[in-house]
């Protein structure tokens, strides 16, 4: 049985990302890995310019009217957040996974991929959080612990060139082994429809939780 959810989770998550500076293939999950959760968004219904309506995912708009939504490029499904032409000074939206239980697994790590298109300012960003007390409805009432990960909107990864849907920035292996019980993982997008420096596109794909030692 694993230890209970520890108050130093943020430190644990930060340490887990220190292994991220390696080549992309190191974070491909081999077929023999014990997968706790996986979502690659390939069984999608494209709701272009509408809102995230994917399985048991939660779509929540904190500011403005822009949601995350499903897209596909070359038969690859993914989620996208963009403030482009929203006409709103601030857009903040959350895409939250279904409930994931970690009681029956050990040594879990989280990985995912992101990309950006026409993102030139680090304030136009994705942030990642984990909650163990989200009730499935009241997003802002929950406690969300920030996750330190390699993201496409990090200053070293920002590029104004088109990514053409190729989502290629690996998060690194984020250690979840100190957590037990039910969790939710949230991806929070921030941008602006009135500031051209903040109206780029942010994309998310290939979310996996697996046992790193099997």
């Amino acid at each position: 049985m694993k230890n209970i959810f520890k108050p130093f989770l943020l430190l644990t998550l930060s340490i887990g990302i220190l292994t991220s500076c390696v080549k992309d293939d190191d974070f491909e999950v081999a077929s023999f890995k014990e997968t706790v959760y996986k979502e690659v968004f390939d069984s999608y219904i494209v709701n272009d310019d509408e809102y995230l309506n994917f399985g048991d995912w939660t779509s929540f708009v904190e500011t403005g009217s822009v949601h995350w939504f499903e897209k596909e490029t070359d038969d690859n499904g993914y989620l996208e957040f963009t403030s482009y032409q929203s006409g709103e000074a601030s857009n903040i939206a959350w895409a939250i996974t279904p409930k994931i239980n970690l009681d029956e697994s050990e040594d879990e790590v989280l990985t995912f991929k992101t990309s950006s298109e026409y993102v030139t300012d680090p304030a136009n960003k994705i942030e990642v959080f984990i909650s163990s007390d989200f009730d499935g409805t009241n997003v802002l009432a929950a406690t969300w612990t920030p996750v330190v990960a390699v993201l496409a909107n990090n200053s070293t990864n920002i590029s104004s060139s088109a990514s053409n849907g190729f989502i290629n920035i690996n998060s690194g292996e984020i250690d979840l082994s100190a957590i037990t019980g039910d969790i939710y993982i949230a991806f929070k997008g921030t941008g602006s429809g009135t500031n051209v420096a903040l109206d780029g596109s942010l994309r998310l794909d290939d979310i996996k939780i697996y046992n790193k030692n099997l």
Side-chain angles (χ1 to χ4, degrees), residues 46-73:
V46 175
N47 289 317
D48 201 0
D49 298 324
E50 295 182 15
Y51 63 93
L52 173 63
N53 184 20
F54 189 90
D56 293 328
W57 279 66
T58 298
S59 181
F60 172 71
V61 172
E62 180 177 341
T63 306
S65 63
V66 173
H67 290 253
W68 287 84
F69 57 95
E70 300 119 272
K71 291 196 72 173
E72 65 85 26
T73 300

Side-chain angles (χ1 to χ4, degrees), residues 16-185:
I17 198 62
L18 293 178
T19 61
S20 64
C21 297
V22 295
K23 63 183 182 180
D24 290 355
D25 290 346
D26 289 346
F27 297 107
E28 295 300 324
V29 181
S31 59
F32 58 83
K33 291 287 188 182
E34 178 184 338
T35 302
V36 179
Y37 178 79
K38 178 180 179 180
E39 185 53 71
V40 296
F41 303 107
D42 285 343
S43 57
Y44 56 83
I45 298 175
V46 175
N47 289 317
D48 201 0
D49 298 324
E50 295 182 15
Y51 63 93
L52 173 63
N53 184 20
F54 189 90
D56 293 328
W57 279 66
T58 298
S59 181
F60 172 71
V61 172
E62 180 177 341
T63 306
S65 63
V66 173
H67 290 253
W68 287 84
F69 57 95
E70 300 119 272
K71 291 196 72 173
E72 65 85 26
T73 300
D74 296 331
D75 294 322
N76 177 55
Y78 55 91
L79 298 188
E80 180 170 276
F81 171 86
T82 178
S83 295
Y84 181 63
Q85 293 186 333
S86 74
E88 297 167 329
S90 178
N91 293 114
I92 302 174
W94 300 60
I96 305 172
T97 66
K99 181 169 59 180
I100 302 167
N101 185 271
L102 301 180
D103 282 339
E104 302 301 320
S105 54
E106 300 284 345
D107 302 321
E108 306 95 337
V109 292
L110 164 69
T111 66
F112 54 89
K113 294 180 181 179
T114 58
S115 73
S116 61
E117 187 171 17
Y118 306 114
V119 169
T120 58
D121 190 308
N124 189 186
K125 61 186 177 181
I126 300 174
E127 297 171 275
V128 187
F129 301 88
I130 290 178
S131 177
S132 60
D133 64 2
F134 177 48
D135 63 6
T137 303
N138 299 299
V139 175
L140 298 183
T143 302
W144 294 99
T145 301
V147 172
V148 178
V150 178
L151 298 164
N153 51 263
N154 288 358
S155 59
T156 56
N157 296 317
I158 287 177
S159 173
S160 61
S161 62
S163 63
N164 296 318
F166 184 61
I167 302 173
N168 59 353
I169 302 297
N170 285 297
S171 64
E173 289 188 328
I174 299 157
D175 186 7
L176 304 182
S177 62
I179 309 174
T180 191
D182 296 329
I183 65 165
Y184 294 82
I185 302 169

Side-chain angles (χ1 to χ4, degrees), residues 2-15:
K2 298 190 307 182
N3 295 328
I4 61 171
F5 187 88
K6 292 183 173 58
F8 51 83
L9 171 60
L10 179 56
L11 176 61
T12 302
L13 295 173
S14 300
I15 293 172

